[in-house]
Amino acid sequence: PAAGPGRPGGFVAVNRNITERVLAEQRSEAQLKRLRALRTIDQAIASSFDLRVTLDVLLEQVVSQLNADGAVMLLLNQPLQRLEYAASRGFHSTTFRNVQIPLGQGFAGRAALDRRLVHVPNLFEGRGDLARNLLLEQERFVTYFGMPLIVKGGVKGVLEVYHRRPFDPDTDWLEFLASLAGQAGIAVDNAQ
């Protein structure tokens, strides 16, 4: 028999429509928050000549909008061909601030050299260098994303994003990470 009054099929269709509407509203709200975050970053870039201030604003948005536990901005020292610490958010220790990463080494060095996102779903598998081991022990990060900052065809640095739990992002999350990295690249380029 067909669904109708008193039949469960009608209820399932209404429930599905409500669920789809709620999901659509949640996506719209998330997109609105992300647009506000980009506007906040744009304002910081336009109003400050101090790169540290701009990077602090940017990392605050990265952590809040991407639901990350930590974020680091590494900038490329072009003459020395290495990434150097510039700013961070969400860390318990400061051990990593003196770390210098040659291009091509470590996750960030690979992201910069290959000019592509490096995603490591489980940092506890395949530990490599001493600095990374110290970071893992002190911070207990599980998931890593390293996105290069590319402006006008050149690499300016790497935006690193960390989670203390397993995290498998959707396409919207990855696209927003790329947008934030683009904003960071513009900020660095303007400061230089």
Side-chain angles (χ1 to χ4, degrees):
R7 308 247 191 243
F11 176 74
V12 171
V14 169
N15 191 28
R16 185 178 317 129
N17 288 340
I18 291 172
T19 301
E20 288 172 2
R21 189 173 337 149
V22 168
L23 290 173
E25 288 174 9
Q26 288 173 345
R27 280 192 299 273
S28 294
E29 182 64 29
Q31 288 173 341
L32 184 59
K33 286 180 181 179
R34 289 175 176 174
L35 287 173
R36 286 185 190 135
L38 291 173
R39 174 134 171 82
T40 299
I41 294 165
D42 281 340
Q43 289 173 331
I45 291 170
S47 65
S48 178
F49 293 108
D50 186 346
L51 181 59
R52 281 175 282 148
V53 170
T54 302
L55 292 181
D56 283 342
V57 169
L58 186 128
L59 291 179
E60 178 182 331
Q61 295 302 318
V62 166
V63 168
S64 68
Q65 298 302 316
L66 296 178
N67 295 316
D69 294 306
V72 177
M73 187 65 61
L74 301 170
L75 300 183
L76 179 62
N77 180 326
Q78 189 68 39
L80 298 177
Q81 290 292 287
R82 69 181 183 207
L83 296 165
E84 299 173 349
Y85 172 87
S88 64
R89 180 73 99 192
F91 286 74
H92 302 306
S93 75
T94 59
T95 305
F96 63 93
R97 291 185 180 184
N98 296 321
V99 173
Q100 299 172 351
I101 304 167
L103 281 185
Q105 293 185 17
F107 301 131
R110 281 199 341 251
L113 186 65
D114 297 345
R115 297 171 175 244
R116 64 171 180 81
L117 172 69
V118 171
H119 172 213
V120 181
N122 187 348
L123 288 167
F124 291 98
E125 295 175 0
R127 292 185 186 191
D129 62 349
L130 178 61
R132 182 72 49 198
N133 290 345
L134 290 173
L135 182 67
L136 287 171
E137 289 173 14
Q138 293 174 355
E139 299 294 342
R140 308 304 295 168
F141 290 125
V142 174
T143 305
Y144 169 90
F145 298 87
M147 180 67 81
L149 313 180
I150 301 173
V151 179
K152 299 175 188 169
V155 174
K156 299 293 181 182
V158 174
L159 170 59
E160 295 187 304
V161 178
Y162 295 90
H163 290 87
R164 289 188 173 97
R165 65 201 177 287
F167 180 71
D168 185 25
D170 61 15
T171 303
D172 288 342
W173 190 95
L174 291 169
E175 287 175 0
F176 192 59
L177 173 61
S179 296
L180 291 170
Q183 292 292 92
I186 290 168
V188 172
D189 189 55
N190 286 348
Q192 293 174 344

PDB file of all heavy atoms in Angstrom, residues 59-81:
ATOM      1  N   LEU A  59      45.828  33.603  12.125  1.00  0.00           N
ATOM      2  CA  LEU A  59      45.870  32.319  12.832  1.00  0.00           C
ATOM      3  C   LEU A  59      44.692  32.156  13.790  1.00  0.00           C
ATOM      4  O   LEU A  59      44.195  31.048  13.984  1.00  0.00           O
ATOM      5  CB  LEU A  59      47.195  32.147  13.565  1.00  0.00           C
ATOM      6  CG  LEU A  59      48.406  31.949  12.646  1.00  0.00           C
ATOM      7  CD1 LEU A  59      49.680  31.816  13.473  1.00  0.00           C
ATOM      8  CD2 LEU A  59      48.232  30.744  11.733  1.00  0.00           C
ATOM      9  N   GLU A  60      44.228  33.245  14.352  1.00  0.00           N
ATOM     10  CA  GLU A  60      43.025  33.183  15.189  1.00  0.00           C
ATOM     11  C   GLU A  60      41.843  32.698  14.361  1.00  0.00           C
ATOM     12  O   GLU A  60      41.061  31.837  14.799  1.00  0.00           O
ATOM     13  CB  GLU A  60      42.736  34.562  15.772  1.00  0.00           C
ATOM     14  CG  GLU A  60      41.491  34.616  16.623  1.00  0.00           C
ATOM     15  CD  GLU A  60      41.223  36.019  17.150  1.00  0.00           C
ATOM     16  OE1 GLU A  60      42.175  36.795  17.344  1.00  0.00           O
ATOM     17  OE2 GLU A  60      40.039  36.328  17.353  1.00  0.00           O
ATOM     18  N   GLN A  61      41.722  33.205  13.141  1.00  0.00           N
ATOM     19  CA  GLN A  61      40.641  32.774  12.253  1.00  0.00           C
ATOM     20  C   GLN A  61      40.839  31.340  11.786  1.00  0.00           C
ATOM     21  O   GLN A  61      39.876  30.574  11.676  1.00  0.00           O
ATOM     22  CB  GLN A  61      40.530  33.725  11.059  1.00  0.00           C
ATOM     23  CG  GLN A  61      40.115  35.127  11.416  1.00  0.00           C
ATOM     24  CD  GLN A  61      38.781  35.184  12.128  1.00  0.00           C
ATOM     25  OE1 GLN A  61      37.825  34.496  11.763  1.00  0.00           O
ATOM     26  NE2 GLN A  61      38.708  35.991  13.170  1.00  0.00           N
ATOM     27  N   VAL A  62      42.074  30.957  11.513  1.00  0.00           N
ATOM     28  CA  VAL A  62      42.364  29.583  11.092  1.00  0.00           C
ATOM     29  C   VAL A  62      41.902  28.601  12.171  1.00  0.00           C
ATOM     30  O   VAL A  62      41.185  27.636  11.887  1.00  0.00           O
ATOM     31  CB  VAL A  62      43.882  29.390  10.815  1.00  0.00           C
ATOM     32  CG1 VAL A  62      44.239  27.913  10.723  1.00  0.00           C
ATOM     33  CG2 VAL A  62      44.277  30.115   9.541  1.00  0.00           C
ATOM     34  N   VAL A  63      42.304  28.853  13.408  1.00  0.00           N
ATOM     35  CA  VAL A  63      41.967  27.933  14.494  1.00  0.00           C
ATOM     36  C   VAL A  63      40.454  27.890  14.715  1.00  0.00           C
ATOM     37  O   VAL A  63      39.862  26.809  14.839  1.00  0.00           O
ATOM     38  CB  VAL A  63      42.723  28.317  15.794  1.00  0.00           C
ATOM     39  CG1 VAL A  63      42.182  27.562  16.993  1.00  0.00           C
ATOM     40  CG2 VAL A  63      44.217  28.047  15.623  1.00  0.00           C
ATOM     41  N   SER A  64      39.809  29.054  14.740  1.00  0.00           N
ATOM     42  CA  SER A  64      38.374  29.057  15.023  1.00  0.00           C
ATOM     43  C   SER A  64      37.539  28.538  13.861  1.00  0.00           C
ATOM     44  O   SER A  64      36.626  27.726  14.061  1.00  0.00           O
ATOM     45  CB  SER A  64      37.906  30.446  15.452  1.00  0.00           C
ATOM     46  OG  SER A  64      37.990  31.352  14.383  1.00  0.00           O
ATOM     47  N   GLN A  65      37.840  28.955  12.638  1.00  0.00           N
ATOM     48  CA  GLN A  65      37.004  28.570  11.497  1.00  0.00           C
ATOM     49  C   GLN A  65      37.247  27.145  11.015  1.00  0.00           C
ATOM     50  O   GLN A  65      36.352  26.518  10.456  1.00  0.00           O
ATOM     51  CB  GLN A  65      37.209  29.539  10.339  1.00  0.00           C
ATOM     52  CG  GLN A  65      36.806  30.955  10.648  1.00  0.00           C
ATOM     53  CD  GLN A  65      35.357  31.074  11.072  1.00  0.00           C
ATOM     54  OE1 GLN A  65      34.461  30.485  10.477  1.00  0.00           O
ATOM     55  NE2 GLN A  65      35.121  31.826  12.121  1.00  0.00           N
ATOM     56  N   LEU A  66      38.460  26.636  11.220  1.00  0.00           N
ATOM     57  CA  LEU A  66      38.765  25.277  10.781  1.00  0.00           C
ATOM     58  C   LEU A  66      38.670  24.274  11.936  1.00  0.00           C
ATOM     59  O   LEU A  66      39.021  23.110  11.767  1.00  0.00           O
ATOM     60  CB  LEU A  66      40.159  25.220  10.146  1.00  0.00           C
ATOM     61  CG  LEU A  66      40.331  26.029   8.863  1.00  0.00           C
ATOM     62  CD1 LEU A  66      41.762  25.940   8.357  1.00  0.00           C
ATOM     63  CD2 LEU A  66      39.349  25.581   7.788  1.00  0.00           C
ATOM     64  N   ASN A  67      38.213  24.750  13.093  1.00  0.00           N
ATOM     65  CA  ASN A  67      38.093  23.897  14.284  1.00  0.00           C
ATOM     66  C   ASN A  67      39.393  23.149  14.550  1.00  0.00           C
ATOM     67  O   ASN A  67      39.399  21.957  14.832  1.00  0.00           O
ATOM     68  CB  ASN A  67      36.930  22.917  14.149  1.00  0.00           C
ATOM     69  CG  ASN A  67      35.603  23.637  14.087  1.00  0.00           C
ATOM     70  OD1 ASN A  67      35.359  24.564  14.842  1.00  0.00           O
ATOM     71  ND2 ASN A  67      34.761  23.227  13.160  1.00  0.00           N
ATOM     72  N   ALA A  68      40.498  23.878  14.427  1.00  0.00           N
ATOM     73  CA  ALA A  68      41.819  23.291  14.630  1.00  0.00           C
ATOM     74  C   ALA A  68      42.256  23.500  16.076  1.00  0.00           C
ATOM     75  O   ALA A  68      41.764  24.388  16.770  1.00  0.00           O
ATOM     76  CB  ALA A  68      42.830  23.938  13.683  1.00  0.00           C
ATOM     77  N   ASP A  69      43.198  22.685  16.507  1.00  0.00           N
ATOM     78  CA  ASP A  69      43.751  22.833  17.846  1.00  0.00           C
ATOM     79  C   ASP A  69      45.000  23.692  17.851  1.00  0.00           C
ATOM     80  O   ASP A  69      45.369  24.257  18.880  1.00  0.00           O
ATOM     81  CB  ASP A  69      44.062  21.450  18.430  1.00  0.00           C
ATOM     82  CG  ASP A  69      42.792  20.650  18.652  1.00  0.00           C
ATOM     83  OD1 ASP A  69      41.887  21.154  19.329  1.00  0.00           O
ATOM     84  OD2 ASP A  69      42.695  19.531  18.121  1.00  0.00           O
ATOM     85  N   GLY A  70      45.673  23.789  16.720  1.00  0.00           N
ATOM     86  CA  GLY A  70      46.872  24.603  16.630  1.00  0.00           C
ATOM     87  C   GLY A  70      47.158  24.969  15.191  1.00  0.00           C
ATOM     88  O   GLY A  70      46.734  24.283  14.260  1.00  0.00           O
ATOM     89  N   ALA A  71      47.871  26.080  15.032  1.00  0.00           N
ATOM     90  CA  ALA A  71      48.271  26.521  13.694  1.00  0.00           C
ATOM     91  C   ALA A  71      49.597  27.256  13.809  1.00  0.00           C
ATOM     92  O   ALA A  71      49.854  27.945  14.800  1.00  0.00           O
ATOM     93  CB  ALA A  71      47.211  27.426  13.084  1.00  0.00           C
ATOM     94  N   VAL A  72      50.430  27.091  12.792  1.00  0.00           N
ATOM     95  CA  VAL A  72      51.741  27.731  12.742  1.00  0.00           C
ATOM     96  C   VAL A  72      51.934  28.353  11.371  1.00  0.00           C
ATOM     97  O   VAL A  72      51.563  27.771  10.354  1.00  0.00           O
ATOM     98  CB  VAL A  72      52.879  26.707  12.980  1.00  0.00           C
ATOM     99  CG1 VAL A  72      54.244  27.370  12.841  1.00  0.00           C
ATOM    100  CG2 VAL A  72      52.754  26.047  14.326  1.00  0.00           C
ATOM    101  N   MET A  73      52.555  29.532  11.375  1.00  0.00           N
ATOM    102  CA  MET A  73      52.923  30.175  10.133  1.00  0.00           C
ATOM    103  C   MET A  73      54.443  30.122  10.032  1.00  0.00           C
ATOM    104  O   MET A  73      55.153  30.630  10.906  1.00  0.00           O
ATOM    105  CB  MET A  73      52.452  31.624  10.123  1.00  0.00           C
ATOM    106  CG  MET A  73      52.654  32.294   8.800  1.00  0.00           C
ATOM    107  SD  MET A  73      51.660  31.595   7.472  1.00  0.00           S
ATOM    108  CE  MET A  73      50.025  31.896   8.083  1.00  0.00           C
ATOM    109  N   LEU A  74      54.915  29.458   9.003  1.00  0.00           N
ATOM    110  CA  LEU A  74      56.346  29.387   8.713  1.00  0.00           C
ATOM    111  C   LEU A  74      56.602  30.207   7.454  1.00  0.00           C
ATOM    112  O   LEU A  74      55.900  30.044   6.458  1.00  0.00           O
ATOM    113  CB  LEU A  74      56.773  27.936   8.473  1.00  0.00           C
ATOM    114  CG  LEU A  74      56.535  26.963   9.613  1.00  0.00           C
ATOM    115  CD1 LEU A  74      56.765  25.534   9.145  1.00  0.00           C
ATOM    116  CD2 LEU A  74      57.434  27.287  10.799  1.00  0.00           C
ATOM    117  N   LEU A  75      57.611  31.072   7.492  1.00  0.00           N
ATOM    118  CA  LEU A  75      57.929  31.899   6.334  1.00  0.00           C
ATOM    119  C   LEU A  75      59.235  31.450   5.711  1.00  0.00           C
ATOM    120  O   LEU A  75      60.161  31.036   6.418  1.00  0.00           O
ATOM    121  CB  LEU A  75      58.008  33.368   6.733  1.00  0.00           C
ATOM    122  CG  LEU A  75      56.727  33.957   7.321  1.00  0.00           C
ATOM    123  CD1 LEU A  75      56.902  35.434   7.612  1.00  0.00           C
ATOM    124  CD2 LEU A  75      55.533  33.718   6.410  1.00  0.00           C
ATOM    125  N   LEU A  76      59.293  31.561   4.407  1.00  0.00           N
ATOM    126  CA  LEU A  76      60.479  31.135   3.679  1.00  0.00           C
ATOM    127  C   LEU A  76      61.561  32.206   3.752  1.00  0.00           C
ATOM    128  O   LEU A  76      61.342  33.354   3.371  1.00  0.00           O
ATOM    129  CB  LEU A  76      60.132  30.848   2.215  1.00  0.00           C
ATOM    130  CG  LEU A  76      61.297  30.409   1.331  1.00  0.00           C
ATOM    131  CD1 LEU A  76      61.907  29.100   1.831  1.00  0.00           C
ATOM    132  CD2 LEU A  76      60.835  30.270  -0.113  1.00  0.00           C
ATOM    133  N   ASN A  77      62.716  31.809   4.246  1.00  0.00           N
ATOM    134  CA  ASN A  77      63.914  32.639   4.176  1.00  0.00           C
ATOM    135  C   ASN A  77      64.567  32.258   2.850  1.00  0.00           C
ATOM    136  O   ASN A  77      65.234  31.229   2.758  1.00  0.00           O
ATOM    137  CB  ASN A  77      64.835  32.346   5.366  1.00  0.00           C
ATOM    138  CG  ASN A  77      66.086  33.182   5.353  1.00  0.00           C
ATOM    139  OD1 ASN A  77      66.623  33.505   4.295  1.00  0.00           O
ATOM    140  ND2 ASN A  77      66.562  33.519   6.544  1.00  0.00           N
ATOM    141  N   GLN A  78      64.323  33.068   1.846  1.00  0.00           N
ATOM    142  CA  GLN A  78      64.740  32.732   0.480  1.00  0.00           C
ATOM    143  C   GLN A  78      66.246  32.525   0.344  1.00  0.00           C
ATOM    144  O   GLN A  78      66.669  31.511  -0.228  1.00  0.00           O
ATOM    145  CB  GLN A  78      64.243  33.822  -0.491  1.00  0.00           C
ATOM    146  CG  GLN A  78      64.428  33.487  -1.938  1.00  0.00           C
ATOM    147  CD  GLN A  78      63.537  32.348  -2.396  1.00  0.00           C
ATOM    148  OE1 GLN A  78      62.384  32.238  -2.002  1.00  0.00           O
ATOM    149  NE2 GLN A  78      64.056  31.473  -3.224  1.00  0.00           N
ATOM    150  N   PRO A  79      67.077  33.431   0.875  1.00  0.00           N
ATOM    151  CA  PRO A  79      68.524  33.222   0.702  1.00  0.00           C
ATOM    152  C   PRO A  79      69.036  31.919   1.339  1.00  0.00           C
ATOM    153  O   PRO A  79      69.920  31.274   0.794  1.00  0.00           O
ATOM    154  CB  PRO A  79      69.156  34.439   1.394  1.00  0.00           C
ATOM    155  CG  PRO A  79      68.080  35.468   1.412  1.00  0.00           C
ATOM    156  CD  PRO A  79      66.788  34.721   1.503  1.00  0.00           C
ATOM    157  N   LEU A  80      68.462  31.545   2.484  1.00  0.00           N
ATOM    158  CA  LEU A  80      68.921  30.338   3.171  1.00  0.00           C
ATOM    159  C   LEU A  80      68.130  29.089   2.768  1.00  0.00           C
ATOM    160  O   LEU A  80      68.451  27.987   3.196  1.00  0.00           O
ATOM    161  CB  LEU A  80      68.852  30.530   4.686  1.00  0.00           C
ATOM    162  CG  LEU A  80      69.745  31.641   5.241  1.00  0.00           C
ATOM    163  CD1 LEU A  80      69.542  31.797   6.741  1.00  0.00           C
ATOM    164  CD2 LEU A  80      71.207  31.380   4.910  1.00  0.00           C
ATOM    165  N   GLN A  81      67.054  29.285   1.975  1.00  0.00           N
ATOM    166  CA  GLN A  81      66.222  28.168   1.501  1.00  0.00           C
ATOM    167  C   GLN A  81      65.707  27.306   2.651  1.00  0.00           C
ATOM    168  O   GLN A  81      65.799  26.085   2.635  1.00  0.00           O
ATOM    169  CB  GLN A  81      66.987  27.312   0.484  1.00  0.00           C
ATOM    170  CG  GLN A  81      67.214  28.002  -0.847  1.00  0.00           C
ATOM    171  CD  GLN A  81      65.914  28.204  -1.596  1.00  0.00           C
ATOM    172  OE1 GLN A  81      65.349  27.254  -2.121  1.00  0.00           O
ATOM    173  NE2 GLN A  81      65.411  29.437  -1.647  1.00  0.00           N
TER     174      GLN A  81
END
